[in-house]
Amino acid sequence: MLTMLLLGVGLIMMFSASFATAYYNDGDPLVYIKNQAVYAAAGVVVMFLVSKINYQTFRLLSVPGIVAAILLLVLALSPLGVELNEVKRWVRIGPIQFQPSEVAKVAVILFFATRLSKRDTEKKKKWSRRTLTGRTLERLDRIGFLELVPYGAILMVIALLMLMEPHMSGTILVLAGGASVLFAAGISLGWFAAGGTLVAGAMWFIITQTPYMTARINLWLDPWAQRQGDGFQTVQSLLAIGSGGLLGLGLGKSRQKFLYVPEPENDFVFPIVAEELGFIGAVVVLLLFSLLIMRGYWLALHARDKFGALTIVGIITLLAVQVFLNVGVVTNLIPNTGISLPFFSYGGTALMIQLAEMGIVLSISRQIPAPKND
């Protein structure tokens, strides 16, 4: 019900936010909502069908899924990829165009959950103490380094491919999803501290040594200095949120969506929500997301087995981080990362994948043991 509520509100708000842009660009104010509604209907069917599948089946798809995700990311960077706005994040297969990063997010979670669910039952390898190599490997195994090598290698490969697009927000989401599964599986906190330090150092290097990211940081620090240039989108977003007041201007009565806020149907749909529904309406939307996230973690705690629990943790953490990043960007809490709001932003394949993820959560929840009566 929470998913369907968010989907319904999301479609209404996406239509309200998009019709001016759709009319100006395509001459048809309904073009965005018609496409999104078709994908939403198909996504609900997919969610229902996936929810009926025994979730143990997803174990079998974990290895083919991660291989397919890496190949699709490589394809996006090849001449066969689709380039838009000077970035290569899309692949077109027939009439369908999608971002391989959406597939990579789910693939990483399923692969990690599959392998880590067997962590407590796998036999420890024995290394020969008679050689230096054997003793070294034994020490590395004892501190858990060898266990992390395959997970770190996969995350590194996918992160590098996505940074080459470039797709910083997608990279953050993949790392967050993978890290959440590792954390829930019981990996030592020391490795998270070390990994966090390494990632922070890499992020600092990328931000300071690449003109693209340096410009993003400077823009974040003072968007008003470039309010008629690159800061225009952020400034208009803040004006939209502020002008909504407590109760909003009313559904459909936003002023900023009339070609002031760029891409109001996509990454910047939340400012239109705040402008039309006000502070109270925006808080209600965030409350619905919060309830869905809390419900997801409750299901993870009560899942039948470790694979189900880890899969839900990864999917729900992915949702939570994406919501936080989107709202953080439109309120200028964090630099602009170009990330969409789940169930609200325009994007058919992304919406279908999000609903399929909810289908996986529902599939796992169906097998939660019933509480025993005292």
Side-chain angles (χ1 to χ4, degrees):
M1 289 303 298
L2 288 168
T3 299
M4 296 303 295
L5 276 172
L6 283 167
L7 179 62
V9 175
L11 286 173
I12 293 171
M13 294 312 305
M14 199 283 296
F15 172 48
S16 178
S18 68
F19 78 84
T21 304
Y23 180 77
Y24 179 78
N25 291 335
D26 301 280
D28 180 5
L30 302 178
V31 64
Y32 288 131
I33 187 59
K34 286 190 292 189
N35 291 338
Q36 192 79 343
V38 170
Y39 279 104
V44 170
V45 173
V46 170
M47 180 176 67
F48 176 77
L49 294 177
V50 171
S51 72
K52 294 294 185 179
I53 298 174
N54 187 326
Y55 70 91
Q56 301 297 337
T57 306
F58 300 121
R59 291 178 184 265
L60 304 176
L61 301 176
S62 61
V63 174
I66 200 71
V67 172
I70 293 174
L71 291 177
L72 286 171
L73 287 171
V74 173
L75 186 62
L77 294 170
S78 73
L80 299 176
V82 178
E83 183 174 348
L84 294 173
N85 299 324
E86 300 181 355
V87 294
K88 301 189 70 172
R89 301 178 183 175
W90 294 267
V91 168
R92 188 188 302 276
I93 299 178
I96 300 176
Q97 180 174 304
F98 64 96
Q99 295 188 29
S101 59
E102 298 292 336
V103 178
K105 296 171 192 174
V106 185
V108 165
I109 290 170
L110 290 178
F111 181 78
F112 280 25
T114 299
R115 285 185 59 90
L116 289 166
S117 63
K118 304 174 184 177
R119 181 171 182 256
D120 297 332
T121 58
E122 287 182 338
K123 292 183 178 180
K124 293 286 186 180
K125 291 184 179 180
K126 294 184 178 180
W127 307 99
S128 173
R129 298 183 58 84
R130 298 180 179 179
T131 63
L132 177 61
T133 302
R135 291 193 296 272
T136 303
L137 290 174
E138 184 185 35
R139 292 191 188 97
L140 292 175
D141 192 20
R142 190 185 308 128
I143 63 176
F145 177 80
L146 295 183
E147 181 185 26
L148 291 175
V149 168
Y151 307 110
I154 288 173
L155 287 178
M156 186 176 297
V157 169
I158 292 178
L160 286 175
L161 289 172
M162 294 177 68
L163 287 173
M164 290 170 65
E165 294 179 351
H167 195 359
M168 181 62 72
S169 60
T171 305
I172 294 172
L173 288 175
V174 168
L175 293 176
S180 67
V181 178
L182 290 169
F183 176 80
I187 299 298
S188 173
L189 292 178
W191 288 113
F192 286 95
T197 303
L198 181 62
V199 170
M203 293 284 288
W204 177 85
F205 178 81
I206 292 171
I207 289 171
T208 57
Q209 300 301 316
T210 58
Y212 173 81
M213 288 305 301
T214 302
R216 285 289 182 96
I217 295 299
N218 292 333
L219 185 65
W220 167 61
L221 292 174
D222 188 9
W224 299 92
Q226 305 180 55
R227 57 184 177 272
Q228 295 300 324
D230 292 337
F232 181 80
Q233 188 175 41
T234 300
V235 169
Q236 296 302 319
S237 171
L238 295 175
L239 290 174
I241 294 172
S243 63
L246 183 64
L247 300 176
L249 302 179
L251 183 62
K253 295 182 180 180
S254 163
R255 294 185 291 261
Q256 293 296 316
K257 67 186 177 187
F258 288 100
L259 309 184
Y260 288 101
V261 176
E263 298 189 35
E265 76 285 351
N266 200 348
D267 298 351
F268 280 71
V269 65
F270 188 75
I272 308 303
V273 173
E275 185 181 13
E276 295 190 351
L277 305 183
F279 175 78
I280 292 178
V283 168
V284 169
V285 169
L286 293 179
L287 180 62
L288 288 174
F289 276 116
S290 300
L291 291 173
L292 179 60
I293 292 165
M294 288 189 293
R295 179 62 177 173
Y297 286 131
W298 185 92
L299 293 173
L301 289 171
H302 295 82
R304 179 179 290 276
D305 58 16
K306 193 170 185 179
F307 171 67
L310 294 178
T311 301
I312 293 181
V313 166
I315 290 174
I316 295 300
T317 301
L318 196 64
L319 173 72
V321 172
Q322 191 165 348
V323 172
F324 172 78
L325 290 179
N326 179 269
V327 177
V329 164
V330 301
T331 56
N332 204 41
L333 176 66
I334 59 176
N336 195 330
T337 57
I339 196 164
S340 60
L341 184 64
F343 309 119
F344 279 70
S345 295
Y346 180 72
T349 53
L351 179 60
M352 288 188 65
I353 291 175
Q354 290 159 8
L355 290 170
E357 291 171 353
M358 293 300 105
I360 295 174
V361 175
L362 286 169
S363 174
I364 297 169
S365 72
R366 288 181 184 277
Q367 295 191 34
I368 289 178
K372 296 180 180 180
N373 295 324
D374 294 334

